[in-house]
Amino acid sequence: MRKKIVAGNWKMNLDYNEGLSLFSEVINMVKDEITGNQQAVVCSPFIHLHSLVQLAKGYDKVSVGAQNAHQAESGAYTGEISAKMIKSVDAEYVILGHSERRQYFGEDNALLAKKTDTALKNGLKPIFCIGETLQEREANQHFDIIKSQLVEGVFHLDEAQFSLLVIAYEPVWAIGTGVTASSDQAQEIHAFIRKEIAAKYGQEVADDTTILYGGSCNPKNAPELFACADIDGGLIGGASLKSRDFVDIVKVFN
């Protein structure tokens, strides 16, 4: 059975002490309230990673991840951070290809393929993001866009490598807008993603791949979204900055 995961993406928010305080609240709530086998993942700014990992020790339902990593192992890349550095503090996950990285930093599928390779080489589990813009959806290009992101970004991996990935679908038109894809729209895309994975790697791998929904998910709409057959959790932005909201989303899988 594939993992059910709710991953929080703090983005560029919270100073050091604010992050520790929020994470401590999340851990205590998860400890008291989570009864299922779901996993909570918190992807924080780099300054928090080491301390969050230390706080999470002993809590098997809470993991820590980074929000990005460079494609090179090391080098003269001022201001960047490597997968090896992230792994050295025992973080487990890394978000790659988030729509904001694609939009604001020009990350394309070829670059993200390299980042994925480096992350896997260093023992990190990528949460690989894909999704279409409003313009692409209105032009009825969304299936083609998503397929190309998969093919060019991660379908070069062998089966064992691919099995370490989590896929996150981001309807870019629903991020930060307050608009959410309907459960039918979300399920349609998630089913398409799983179908493409099955065509490449076989049905067993597809059935084991965790696919998250990443478009303005909150405690109110999470139950309907997570009830869909091919939605295995969420990549949560704004709601992850509130411990009560985030844990209530995690609790949907209780």
Side-chain angles (χ1 to χ4, degrees):
M1 179 176 288
R2 56 184 177 262
K3 284 186 178 180
K4 304 297 184 180
I5 294 174
V6 176
N9 176 16
W10 288 358
K11 306 189 179 183
M12 195 178 74
N13 293 292
L14 306 177
D15 67 22
Y16 181 75
N17 289 322
E18 290 168 343
L20 266 61
S21 177
L22 174 60
F23 191 70
S24 296
E25 292 174 4
V26 168
I27 284 180
N28 288 329
M29 289 181 179
V30 168
K31 180 182 178 182
D32 292 340
E33 302 175 25
I34 301 306
T35 58
N37 294 321
Q38 67 269 48
Q39 190 76 15
V41 180
V42 171
C43 296
S44 75
F46 299 128
I47 64 165
H48 301 103
L49 287 178
H50 178 264
S51 295
L52 298 196
V53 168
Q54 299 306 308
L55 287 171
K57 285 186 175 179
Y59 298 92
D60 60 356
K61 294 184 182 299
V62 183
S63 299
V64 177
Q67 298 174 17
N68 184 38
H70 199 271
Q71 66 272 21
E73 290 285 352
S74 61
Y77 301 103
T78 302
E80 293 295 317
I81 192 165
S82 72
K84 181 180 180 181
M85 293 173 183
I86 295 168
K87 185 62 177 179
S88 73
V89 299
D90 291 330
E92 187 174 352
Y93 291 88
V94 60
I95 298 173
L96 296 178
H98 191 279
S99 58
E100 292 160 359
R101 298 294 309 179
R102 293 176 185 264
Q103 178 181 355
Y104 302 138
F105 300 96
E107 296 189 357
D108 60 17
N109 297 329
L111 174 66
L112 292 169
K114 295 176 182 177
K115 288 193 173 196
T116 301
D117 291 344
T118 306
L120 289 170
K121 181 180 178 181
N122 284 277
L124 295 174
K125 298 176 182 177
I127 300 175
F128 191 86
C129 301
I130 57 178
E132 82 282 6
T133 65
L134 179 60
Q135 183 180 15
E136 290 163 345
R137 174 168 275 271
E138 289 179 339
N140 202 32
Q141 297 174 332
H142 45 297
F143 292 117
D144 291 337
I145 293 296
I146 288 166
K147 183 173 182 177
S148 69
Q149 290 170 340
L150 287 169
V151 170
E152 297 171 19
V154 294
F155 276 4
H156 66 285
L157 301 173
D158 64 31
E159 181 178 317
Q161 292 171 319
F162 185 86
S163 296
L164 297 173
L165 266 60
V166 173
I167 302 296
Y169 166 62
E170 298 183 287
V172 181
W173 44 275
I175 298 174
T177 63
V179 176
T180 308
S182 70
S183 57
D184 287 342
Q185 287 175 316
Q187 167 59 23
E188 179 184 40
I189 297 293
H190 280 241
F192 173 78
I193 293 168
R194 203 174 304 282
K195 179 181 176 182
E196 292 300 313
I197 295 170
K200 173 66 177 178
Y201 295 104
Q203 193 63 50
E204 183 175 353
V205 172
D207 288 342
D208 286 342
T209 300
T210 297
I211 307 175
L212 309 181
Y213 173 76
S216 296
C217 187
N218 58 61
K220 291 183 178 180
N221 60 33
E224 181 179 353
L225 287 164
F226 293 0
C228 296
D230 290 292
I231 298 179
D232 306 311
L235 178 59
I236 314 300
S240 71
L241 298 173
K242 300 176 181 179
S243 55
R244 181 70 275 160
D245 285 357
F246 181 64
V247 176
D248 280 349
I249 296 172
V250 180
K251 283 173 67 177
V252 171
F253 287 119
N254 274 3

